[in-house]
Structure formats: C-alpha cells, structure tokens
C-alpha cells in the first residue's frame, strides 16, 4: 500500500494567515493526489484534484501543488470557515489511501 | 444534483455481518467511468477506503479487508450495498459512500453521503 504522510498533524493559525500543509507519498503517485476539507460531524469535501485542479465551487484561496511524492495545499488567506481538518488522498493505485489529516484551528 | 445517502444498522454485535446501503440520485451507475466507493472513519481517526464498484461491475477492495467485504450494485434501484462479515469493535466507524467520475477516482470523490455511524458492541 502507498502510505500518505501529512505534516503537521495540527496547526494553530489566525484569520488572514497563509497556511501550508504538506503531504508525502511513500512512492511516486505522479499527480494523482486529491485534497479534502472535513468539518466535525460532516462528510469530507473535495477541494483539489489531480494535485492542482480546483474543484468547482471551491474558493480560489485554496491551491495545490506538487508531483511525484511531495505535495502541498495552500490557503492564501485563512477565513473563519476554513477551520477544519484537511486530508490528502492518492488515486494512483488501489488500495486508495488517505493521509492522517491536518487539523487547522485557532 | 447528485446526492447519496447511507442507511443501515447503528449497532451490530461482534461476529455479525454488517450490511449498509447507499441510495443515490442524480447520476447513473451504468454511465461509463462512474464509480461508487465505501470509505469509513473511526471516531477521531483518519479516513479509510474500503471498496469501489465501477459502472461495468468491476470491483476493487482494500486487500487487508477483502476477505470480509462484498460490494454490489442494483442499477435499477440506484443503490450500492456493502457487506462486511465478522464485525469487531475495531470496525466501529462512520461509513460513507462517495461518487467518483473517472478511473480509479482520479478526479477525487466529488460527492459524499452524510455518513452512518456503526457501533460494534455486545
């Protein structure tokens, strides 16, 4: 299985901050990397697919980059509604695997 | 618009078989490229993909659980069913179903159900 490792596991930030979350794959996954946002008690929401493509309806302050084994999710200016847990997921090969999540709080 | 909703028991006993159903609307599971996955999340833990069924009835399973899982679809009812045998307390989790539109979910899981919490306890 491809292991997905996120860092940090949690971070504290303020409204307006630029936030960067890293996801590393245990082997190359090319650009088959997706990012999700999840709020407590809710289903995940797709933010970014194929490493850098913004899902329809997602604000442009979210962006993704990277390829191979190293990827980042950036929130350019953190908004109150962005406090949540963010997870990466590889779709290169089965079994599909998720990272452990990064909790962004105040 | 696309919607998915999970249904099933909230409590199962150890060694029992879990059956959860995903009822969806807004898409057809006979359309080329479409898939529905089951993904679970134990309380306070990470998401874990379990199984995927494609429009052509091809199936993929998490290898570590494959012997316990069966995924199936009823296209006429717009439903996908997951069964998991020999349930254990460690299988306590929220079970989600999710839609994907291309290949091995290469464009991600773009629509999710609300999830159903299944507790395994005697």
């Amino acid at each position: 299985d491809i292991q997905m490792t996120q860092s940090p596991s949690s971070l504290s930030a303020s409204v307006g901050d630029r936030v960067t979350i890293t996801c590393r794959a245990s082997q190359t996954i090319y650009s088959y990397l997706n990012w999700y946002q999840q709020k407590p008690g809710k289903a995940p929401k797709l933010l970014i697919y194929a490493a850098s493509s913004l899902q329809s309806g997602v604000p442009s302050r979210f962006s993704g980059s990277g390829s191979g084994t190293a990827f980042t999710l950036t929130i350019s200016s953190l908004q109150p509604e962005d406090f949540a847990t963010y997870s990466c997921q590889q779709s290169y090969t089965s079994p599909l695997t998720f990272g452990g999540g990064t909790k962004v709080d105040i | 618009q696309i919607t998915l909703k999970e249904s099933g028991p909230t409590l199962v006993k150890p060694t029992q078989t879990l059956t959860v159903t995903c009822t969806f609307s807004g898409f057809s599971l006979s359309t080329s490229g479409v898939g529905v996955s089951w993904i679970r999340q134990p309380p306070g833990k990470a998401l874990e993909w379990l199984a995927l069924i494609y429009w052509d009835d091809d199936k993929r399973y998490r290898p570590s659980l494959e012997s316990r899982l069966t995924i199936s679809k009823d296209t006429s009812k717009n439903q996908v069913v997951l069964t998991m045998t020999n349930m254990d307390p460690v299988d306590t989790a929220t079970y989600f179903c999710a839609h994907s539109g291309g290949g091995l979910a290469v464009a991600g899981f773009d629509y999710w159900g609300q999830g159903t919490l299944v507790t395994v306890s005697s």
Side-chain angles (χ1 to χ4, degrees), chain A:
Chain A
D1 299 5
I2 295 178
Q3 308 303 316
M4 306 301 294
T5 304
Q6 286 184 236
S7 61
S9 57
S10 66
L11 66 90
S12 294
S14 301
V15 173
D17 285 353
R18 181 181 182 88
V19 170
T20 299
I21 298 167
T22 297
C23 178
R24 293 191 179 274
S26 60
Q27 64 187 75
T28 184
I29 57 170
Y30 300 93
S31 294
Y32 294 97
L33 191 282
N34 309 307
W35 288 99
Y36 300 86
Q37 176 194 68
Q38 187 177 23
K39 296 181 179 179
K42 300 295 186 181
K45 173 187 176 182
L46 179 65
L47 299 176
I48 302 285
Y49 64 94
S52 60
S53 296
L54 193 67
Q55 176 68 0
S56 176
V58 174
S60 59
R61 63 181 180 272
F62 291 94
S63 64
S65 64
S67 66
T69 61
F71 302 87
T72 59
L73 172 71
T74 300
I75 309 171
S76 61
S77 178
L78 199 65
Q79 298 302 299
E81 61 268 30
D82 300 337
F83 291 96
T85 297
Y86 294 85
S87 298
C88 60
Q89 174 249 324
Q90 65 83 14
S91 53
Y92 173 62
T93 190
S94 183
L96 306 175
T97 47
F98 289 84
T102 296
K103 184 176 182 181
V104 177
D105 58 20
I106 301 174

Side-chain angles (χ1 to χ4, degrees), chain B residues 32-115:
Chain B
S32 178
V34 173
V36 173
S37 282
W38 283 95
I39 296 154
R40 71 179 179 180
Q41 185 171 40
K45 295 189 177 181
L47 296 157
E48 180 180 55
W49 173 81
L50 300 176
L52 164 65
I53 189 165
Y54 290 102
W55 82 102
D56 60 358
D57 210 38
D58 191 15
K59 305 173 179 90
R60 296 285 185 270
Y61 293 101
R62 186 175 196 84
S64 59
L65 294 172
E66 186 166 3
S67 64
R68 299 173 53 204
L69 296 173
T70 302
I71 191 169
S72 62
K73 64 181 175 72
D74 186 329
T75 305
S76 65
K77 293 184 178 179
N78 282 351
Q79 291 182 332
V80 172
V81 176
L82 181 76
T83 62
M84 179 180 289
T85 61
N86 195 25
M87 293 291 284
D88 183 272
V90 300
D91 297 313
T92 294
T94 297
Y95 287 74
F96 296 99
C97 60
H99 167 278
S100 57
L104 192 62
V106 293
F109 299 111
D110 50 1
Y111 295 92
W112 294 66
Q114 63 191 21

